[in-house]
Amino acid sequence: MKNVFVTFICTALFFVACSNRERQFTQEIKVLQSKAIQLPSKGLFMRQGIEVQKIDVNKEVLKLVVYADSIGCTACAINHIDSWGHFIDYAEQFNNQLRFYFIFSPMKKEVRGTELMIANTMFDYPILLDTLGEFEKLNPHLPKNRALHTFLLDENNNVILVGNPSQNRKIKEMFYKTVEEKLGKPQQSSTKENDLADETTN
């Protein structure tokens, strides 16, 4: 009987803990959505390891922001950056109305190493090295929770979807649905369909 009681207490504590985490997660999302996101205009923009011209961050289009700081492991984000290829191919069908903003904020001592890592990936899309930590300064309401550092912005830079579609099928489906509600169906649907089909078979 005593063991049953202990099991009941442990189970109850587990559900309480899960409930508390869920409430905290929901509250963090509400805070993130409480203000429009400001994108940094300073820093080093790189493409395939080469410095490129600064990007117009104020253009009124949908934007998917992928942010990683030194605490959140910038190197990990760079190592997995090729996973965004399908999404970039998909975005190209919307005539520049859907853009990606990869913002990496390494520590000063890691900047050169980060530049070399980016060069080695030969990733053919602009990446912003936020060497001044401007992104967090502009957005003090940004949660510390790294799971909330990837999000979709509307034309006014309001957060309309939170989560990483490259790591979560449900978020991926919501990403496609949200984009197409805003911009309509893509010129070719094969990119999205193949992406979802590949995940189903893996």
Side-chain angles (χ1 to χ4, degrees):
M1 184 67 180
K2 181 178 180 181
N3 289 338
V4 173
F5 179 73
V6 170
T7 301
F8 173 78
I9 292 295
C10 291
T11 302
L13 290 173
F14 172 78
F15 282 112
V16 169
C18 289
S19 179
N20 288 339
R21 282 198 297 270
E22 185 175 340
R23 280 197 297 268
Q24 181 181 355
F25 195 76
T26 301
Q27 182 60 32
E28 287 176 328
I29 292 177
K30 286 182 179 179
V31 172
L32 180 61
Q33 294 179 316
S34 65
K35 297 179 182 177
I37 296 294
Q38 296 186 58
L39 297 174
S41 57
K42 302 176 183 178
L44 177 64
F45 286 89
M46 301 184 68
R47 185 170 189 162
Q48 292 187 318
I50 301 173
E51 185 174 356
V52 295
Q53 186 177 0
K54 294 188 183 301
I55 299 170
D56 181 8
V57 298
N58 297 313
K59 194 169 181 64
E60 293 184 357
V61 297
L62 296 188
K63 308 173 183 76
L64 186 82
V65 175
V66 180
Y67 175 64
D69 59 14
S70 56
I71 298 175
C73 186
T74 302
C76 300
I78 294 173
N79 286 335
H80 291 91
I81 201 164
D82 285 339
S83 64
W84 292 102
H86 288 297
F87 298 97
I88 292 172
D89 290 343
Y90 172 75
E92 288 177 351
Q93 301 177 69
F94 291 99
N95 297 320
N96 226 18
Q97 293 302 302
L98 171 61
R99 294 185 176 182
F100 292 78
Y101 289 83
F102 298 96
I103 305 172
F104 299 150
S105 183
M107 292 187 293
K108 287 184 178 179
K109 64 181 181 180
E110 297 175 345
V111 170
R112 182 56 183 160
T114 302
E115 291 178 7
L116 292 173
M117 287 188 68
I118 293 172
N120 288 335
T121 66
M122 293 301 291
F123 185 61
D124 193 15
Y125 203 90
I127 296 171
L128 171 60
L129 278 187
D130 182 20
T131 55
L132 302 175
E134 187 184 11
F135 186 62
E136 289 199 21
K137 293 175 184 176
L138 291 171
N139 303 284
H141 62 299
L142 184 74
K144 297 299 182 184
N145 188 340
R146 297 195 303 271
L148 306 180
H149 286 180
T150 300
F151 41 81
L152 181 66
L153 307 179
D154 67 8
E155 300 86 345
N156 299 310
N157 285 3
N158 296 306
V159 177
I160 55 176
L161 178 66
V162 180
N164 190 330
S166 74
Q167 296 179 352
N168 184 294
R169 181 179 175 83
K170 184 176 180 181
I171 296 296
K172 179 187 290 188
E173 292 172 347
M174 292 173 64
F175 168 76
Y176 286 134
K177 182 175 183 292
T178 304
V179 168
E180 292 176 15
E181 285 177 351
K182 286 280 188 179
L183 302 178
K185 294 289 183 181
Q187 297 172 1
Q188 298 177 353
S189 60
S190 58
T191 301
K192 178 187 73 174
E193 291 170 353
N194 290 340
D195 188 20
L196 293 172
D198 288 345
E199 187 167 298
T200 302
T201 55
N202 289 337

